[in-house]
Amino acid sequence: MRGMGTVVNGLAVIGGGLLGVFFKKSISETWKRDLFQLIGILTLFIGILGMIKEALEINQGQIVIQSQMMLILSLMLGFFLGEWTDIDGKLEKLGRKFQQWSKDEDEGFVTGFVSATVLICVGAMAIVGSLEDGLSGDPSTLYAKSVLDFVAVMILSSTLGIGTVFSVIPMVIYQGGITLLSGTVAPYMSPELIGDLSLVGSGLIFCIGINLLFDKKIKVANLLWALVFPILYHFIG
């Protein structure tokens, strides 16, 4: 059944988030602080590994860096366009609406919603898995992503609270939309394009790790526009 991968992924996010909220009530403030730092470190690590995987290539015994200008240009242009359209602000407003609806007064609600939304949506697995699910009815990649998202959202929600669970809504819309449109977009999704999208996405994940580990406020949601520029780059090329 096409679309089942996104359904399972959504259930995994909800399950992991609720389980994390349960643990949040039973751990001390010291544990929460240390766990929050661990989340930041792991997120940084995932982002760095993703960028290394896509940007470094061994050619005749030499390490070659590729797509670095594409990454820099994507992030720079994404920054300016993001500041203009203020996706981060819009996501925060949406998070506050969800918070009012849930009647939850946790200070970390909006941060959890925004961080989890970006984290589970920007990776290449979301794009590739949704395309595979839509074209061939193969949800295996999204099933694997579901396991990763379950763990990631569980850890995030154990410190940031129930807001992370609401990230399932934009994720389902995003992945479900790709699945529905898979027949239209698949011919344009070359391995090179998917690799560049993964590179930029890993850069955004790295920025999330910076926010979590050092308590910074990089507007990662605004940088989502950076994912548009690899598409334009390959289309023009």
Side-chain angles (χ1 to χ4, degrees), residues 31-60:
W31 272 56
K32 288 179 184 178
R33 184 194 65 230
D34 293 343
L35 185 57
F36 199 73
Q37 292 178 338
L38 177 60
I39 296 169
I41 293 171
L42 292 175
T43 306
L44 277 176
F45 187 64
I46 292 171
I48 291 171
L49 281 182
M51 287 190 288
I52 291 175
K53 177 184 175 183
E54 301 299 338
L56 297 185
E57 180 180 294
I58 298 178
N59 187 6
Q60 297 180 347

Side-chain angles (χ1 to χ4, degrees), residues 97-114:
K97 288 183 179 180
F98 287 145
Q99 186 174 19
Q100 292 173 356
W101 177 78
S102 65
K103 298 181 180 179
D104 188 286
E105 298 181 357
D106 194 333
E107 293 181 358
F109 187 101
V110 175
T111 300
F113 169 73
V114 175

Side-chain angles (χ1 to χ4, degrees), residues 128-145:
V128 175
S130 298
L131 287 173
E132 290 175 348
D133 197 8
L135 291 172
S136 60
D138 177 14
S140 56
T141 299
L142 288 183
Y143 286 169
K145 178 177 179 291

Side-chain angles (χ1 to χ4, degrees), residues 164-193:
T164 57
V165 177
F166 287 84
S167 65
V168 70
I169 298 174
M171 186 209 72
V172 167
I173 295 173
Y174 173 65
Q175 291 184 184
I178 294 175
T179 297
L180 290 173
L181 297 173
S182 57
T184 302
V185 301
Y188 305 100
M189 300 300 293
S190 66
E192 292 78 12
L193 173 54

Side-chain angles (χ1 to χ4, degrees), residues 148-207:
L148 298 175
D149 287 351
F150 177 87
V151 176
V153 174
M154 179 180 67
I155 296 175
L156 275 176
S157 64
S158 67
T159 56
L160 294 175
I162 195 69
T164 57
V165 177
F166 287 84
S167 65
V168 70
I169 298 174
M171 186 209 72
V172 167
I173 295 173
Y174 173 65
Q175 291 184 184
I178 294 175
T179 297
L180 290 173
L181 297 173
S182 57
T184 302
V185 301
Y188 305 100
M189 300 300 293
S190 66
E192 292 78 12
L193 173 54
I194 292 174
D196 283 347
L197 286 171
S198 180
L199 174 60
V200 175
S202 296
L204 299 186
I205 291 173
F206 178 83
C207 292

